């Protein structure tokens, strides 16, 4: 088969479509013939040599895919050759075929195109496990989403709104109209506005009950200031650095909580549990049309370098897909 390989880490042109060995399904795994994969920020880091795949994961980038089951390994039940699926991967989605533990498969939701389904697994699992499972967002609460225009952000806005939360989001102004359509109640242009002041202004001084953060160090103190009493800050990205300074007194006075998680390095059993939760709680919202894949554009996988340039420049809203013919 062919896959996107990275012979030498570097810029977008480090991505090379090359012939590689076919994957074999191990016990409990299926092989998916890939129709599409989606670009995640982590793929850009992996390309640059900063985010190696966890032990045992395929060497090629790609944290999610959609396609058709083409083989099943020993011990797999509930999935058959020919099933249309999408999957959460530890790597290897930028390929014609990928082996994946059966517990990380999801059916393509009714009403969603099989190619667009590649936009869902990574964001659905990340957002649901952090915002719902961990931070316990409830109806009537306020959710602040940083990077509202990202793949993660566009999903978090929709899920928060579908769960009955008021959603605030930071993004550059050019993306605001699209994010309002997805359910954001208030948008903050972080390049012009102080997001803490905006959060306090629109919540009458209460603050946000849950903050989903992708910036890390550069937003740490301000995120705590933006929290409501009893608020929960979940850090899932470090685009603004990894070492921050925090006034613990501010957190303590609010009885606040800070958590930080990474999905890719979780054990297979935990991923399967998250995937089950997403299937039970998020898929019905997708099938009802209340949460949709947000696809900025589709490019053939042989143009992966161009797609990485686009995502690196933050030109997109939602997900950029790579299609495999
Ligand atoms: N921990 C996990 O398990 C996990 C899983 C998936 C993703 N993530 C993380 O989640 C983040 C989003 O991933 P993605 O693949 O969805 O990203 P993406 O689509 O590449 O988007 C990145 C976003 O960052 C925004 N941004 C840049 N500077 C910002 C700032 N100062 N304030 C607010 N937003 C800013 C950009 O928006 P503008 O154009 O508006 O600037 C852009 O929309 C990444 O940091 C990724 O590593 C973590």
């Amino acid at each position: 088969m062919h896959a996107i390989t990275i012979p030498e880490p570097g810029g977008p042109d480090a991505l090379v479509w090359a012939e590689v060995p076919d994957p074999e399904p191990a016990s409990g795994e299926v092989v998916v013939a890939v129709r599409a994969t989606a670009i995640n920020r982590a793929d850009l880091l992996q390309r640059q040599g900063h985010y190696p795949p966890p032990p045992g994961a395929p060497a090629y980038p790609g944290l999610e895919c959609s396609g058709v089951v083409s083989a099943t390994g020993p011990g797999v039940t509930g999935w058959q050759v020919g099933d249309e699926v999408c999957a959460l991967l530890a790597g290897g989605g930028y390929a014609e075929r990928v082996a994946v533990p059966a517990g990380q498969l999801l059916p393509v939701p009714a009403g969603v195109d099989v190619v667009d389904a590649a936009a869902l697994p990574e964001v659905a699992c990340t957002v649901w496990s952090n915002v719902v499972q961990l931070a316990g967002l409830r109806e009537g609460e306020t959710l602040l989403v940083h990077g509202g225009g990202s793949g993660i952000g566009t999903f978090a806005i929709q899920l928060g709104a579908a769960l009955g939360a008021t959603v605030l989001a930071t993004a550059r102004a050019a993306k605001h109209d699209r994010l309002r359509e997805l359910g954001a109640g208030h948008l903050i242009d972080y390049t012009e506005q102080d997001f803490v002041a905006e959060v306090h202004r629109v919540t009458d001084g209460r603050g946000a009950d849950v903050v989903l953060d992708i910036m890390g160090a550069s937003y740490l103190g301000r995120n705590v200031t933006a929290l409501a009493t009893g608020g929960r800050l979940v850090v899932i990205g470090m685009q603004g650095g990894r070492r921050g300074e925090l006034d613990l007194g501010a957190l303590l006075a609010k009885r606040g909580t800070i958590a930080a998680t990474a999905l890719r390095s979780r054990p297979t059993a935990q991923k399967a549990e998250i995937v089950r939760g997403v299937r039970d709680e998020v898929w019905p919202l997708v099938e009802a049309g209340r949460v949709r894949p947000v696809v900025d554009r589709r490019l053939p996988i042989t143009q992966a370098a161009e797609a990485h340039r686009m995502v690196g420049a933050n030109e997109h809203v939602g997900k950029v897909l790579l299609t495999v013919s």
Side-chain angles (χ1 to χ4, degrees), residues 4 11 18 49 53 56 95 173 207 209 229 247 251 303 313 325:
I4 291 284
D209 300 291
T229 300
D247 173 0
L251 185 66
Q303 292 176 27
S325 55

Side-chain angles (χ1 to χ4, degrees), residues 132-322:
V132 178
Q133 230 188 358
L134 182 60
L137 181 72
R138 289 182 293 272
E139 187 178 351
E141 289 194 322
T142 299
L143 168 67
L144 170 64
V145 176
H146 284 301
S150 65
I152 290 285
T154 50
F155 195 89
I157 289 170
Q158 295 184 86
L159 186 63
L163 295 174
T166 299
V167 184
L168 321 178
T170 57
R172 280 182 291 152
K175 300 181 177 178
H176 285 193
D177 286 348
R178 184 74 185 99
L179 304 187
R180 214 168 273 119
E181 284 166 19
L182 295 175
H186 184 74
L187 287 149
I188 303 165
D189 179 358
Y190 69 88
T191 66
E192 299 278 341
Q193 294 174 296
D194 170 2
F195 77 81
V196 177
E198 279 300 291
V199 168
H200 284 295
R201 188 178 68 75
V202 300
T203 59
D204 295 325
R206 247 181 49 78
D209 300 291
V210 175
V211 177
L212 182 64
D213 178 58
I214 61 170
M215 296 310 295
S218 63
Y219 277 9
L220 179 61
R222 283 180 281 169
N223 275 334
V224 170
T225 313
L227 282 181
T229 300
R232 292 87 74 198
L233 163 62
V234 187
V235 181
I236 61 162
M238 298 179 290
Q239 291 179 196
R242 51 194 297 168
R243 283 174 190 272
E245 200 176 290
L246 179 65
D247 173 0
L248 279 170
L251 185 66
L252 180 149
K254 287 188 168 164
R255 302 187 293 283
T257 308
I258 303 179
T261 73
L263 180 59
R264 189 184 196 183
S265 54
R266 283 186 189 250
T268 310
Q270 280 186 24
K271 286 184 184 166
E273 192 191 320
I274 290 170
V275 166
R276 262 196 306 278
V278 164
R279 188 172 177 167
D280 290 347
E281 294 191 25
V282 180
W283 254 219
L285 297 172
V286 178
E287 296 191 336
R290 298 179 63 199
V291 176
R292 306 291 298 166
V294 178
V295 176
D296 185 278
R297 70 195 72 192
R298 300 172 172 188
L299 291 173
I301 196 160
T302 47
Q303 292 176 27
E306 178 54 26
H308 269 224
R309 260 183 221 104
M310 204 177 288
V311 171
N314 287 331
E315 286 169 11
H316 61 297
V317 172
K319 304 284 285 194
V320 174
L321 301 187
L322 299 174

Side-chain angles (χ1 to χ4, degrees), residues 25-43:
S27 178
E29 288 186 343
V30 309
V31 172
V32 176
V34 176
R35 281 289 287 115
T37 184
I39 297 181
N40 286 278
R41 204 84 195 165
D43 306 344

